[in-house]
Amino acid sequence: MNDGVEVFALPRRLTRALAGATTAELEELTARWTARLRSEDGDDMTGDDLLAVLRGVTRLAAAAVNTGGGLYCWSL
């Protein structure tokens, strides 16, 4: 049943990897992410700065690792 609620959780291993990623690793991941989005969405790809988004996620990942928590999001 789809009740309209979405939950997305990152595994601890991925959270730790993002928290410890170097700038070069983030740039490489962003390039792959951008290519994947472009192949899926074409011209409708997001106009957001994907590197800035990924850097924000890594800051959240670092906070999660430092507090023993995890990363997840949900939407209704």
Side-chain angles (χ1 to χ4, degrees), residues 23-49:
T23 299
E25 290 168 330
L26 291 177
E27 288 172 355
E28 179 184 340
L29 180 57
T30 302
R32 289 195 323 249
W33 186 18
T34 302
R36 175 99 186 242
L37 284 173
R38 218 171 246 123
S39 73
E40 295 289 326
D41 297 334
D43 292 335
D44 294 333
M45 191 180 104
T46 180
D48 293 331
D49 179 349

Side-chain angles (χ1 to χ4, degrees), residues 5-76:
V5 176
E6 300 171 27
V7 177
F8 180 74
L10 275 69
R12 286 183 190 262
R13 183 175 167 195
L14 178 56
T15 302
R16 286 191 305 267
L18 285 170
T22 66
T23 299
E25 290 168 330
L26 291 177
E27 288 172 355
E28 179 184 340
L29 180 57
T30 302
R32 289 195 323 249
W33 186 18
T34 302
R36 175 99 186 242
L37 284 173
R38 218 171 246 123
S39 73
E40 295 289 326
D41 297 334
D43 292 335
D44 294 333
M45 191 180 104
T46 180
D48 293 331
D49 179 349
L50 296 180
L51 182 56
V53 170
L54 194 53
R55 284 185 176 146
V57 170
T58 60
R59 284 192 297 275
L60 291 173
V65 167
N66 289 337
T67 61
L71 277 183
Y72 64 93
C73 67
W74 70 92
S75 64
L76 298 175

